[in-house]
Amino acid sequence: MSPTDQNDDGHDSNLPDLGDAIDIVTFSQILEMDDSEDDREFSKSIVFGFFEQAEETFEKMDTALETQNLDELYRLGHFLKGSSATLGLTKVKDSCEKIQRYGKKENLDGTPETDEALCLSRITDTLKTVKAEYADVETTLKNFFSSA
């Protein structure tokens, strides 16, 4: 990629606008691992692998929520936060961090929250939000890779 194809923040200016749910700088770093812009097999495999991982994790979160297992919700939130951050999926990452905190019986500022029912209620709401955020980025990225 020539220097004229990069913006001031270092990402490829030839990329389409992927919206505010995807950090373009982080996502560009994944794309740089491809052999060429014409062959996006490597980045596509990472992203589509994440889709499978996210779907499985959401199912596990639903089960953990049904059984009111805050420790498992903490663990799953932490897990999905990391993998979504790697791809630059900022909204998904932020919501997973909330689930992680609530599962750890904390408020968003890190202070302890002893009301487990409140934590479970917050996770229920946040899980709905993160699933919608995930659906948005999944559509955006599938469209990106189908046009690449």
Side-chain angles (χ1 to χ4, degrees):
M1 172 182 348
S2 72
T4 57
D5 288 342
Q6 288 191 353
N7 287 344
D8 292 340
D9 58 11
H11 83 269
D12 184 346
S13 59
N14 294 325
L15 290 176
D17 180 11
L18 298 176
D20 65 346
I22 300 171
D23 177 56
I24 195 67
V25 174
T26 304
F27 188 66
S28 291
Q29 292 171 347
I30 300 294
L31 296 177
E32 286 173 11
M33 291 187 252
D34 286 320
D35 290 334
S36 74
E37 289 181 21
D38 297 328
D39 177 14
R40 296 274 187 214
E41 280 307 307
F42 182 76
S43 60
K44 184 177 181 178
S45 70
I46 291 174
V47 170
F48 280 70
F50 169 78
F51 293 158
E52 290 177 28
Q53 187 181 72
E55 296 288 340
E56 290 172 11
T57 303
F58 288 141
E59 287 177 21
K60 290 177 182 176
M61 284 180 166
D62 289 337
T63 300
L65 195 55
E66 288 170 17
T67 61
Q68 301 183 358
N69 187 337
L70 287 170
D71 288 338
E72 180 71 353
L73 288 159
Y74 159 78
R75 190 186 69 72
L76 293 167
H78 177 75
F79 172 74
L80 198 55
K81 178 184 79 171
S83 53
S84 57
T86 300
L87 295 177
L89 310 181
T90 53
K91 288 184 178 181
V92 172
K93 173 193 67 82
D94 291 345
S95 290
C96 288
E97 183 171 2
K98 290 178 183 179
I99 291 170
Q100 178 184 345
R101 286 205 179 268
Y102 299 146
K104 197 175 178 182
K105 294 187 259 184
E106 291 181 349
N107 294 300
L108 291 182
D109 63 3
T111 58
E113 177 53 68
T114 57
D115 185 345
E116 289 189 11
L118 177 60
C119 292
L120 289 164
S121 172
R122 289 174 172 171
I123 290 172
T124 299
D125 293 342
T126 307
L127 189 53
K128 289 176 191 167
T129 300
V130 74
K131 286 179 178 181
E133 293 164 344
Y134 166 76
D136 289 344
V137 296
E138 181 185 33
T139 299
T140 299
L141 292 175
K142 282 183 175 180
N143 288 338
F144 170 79
F145 283 108
S146 70
S147 66

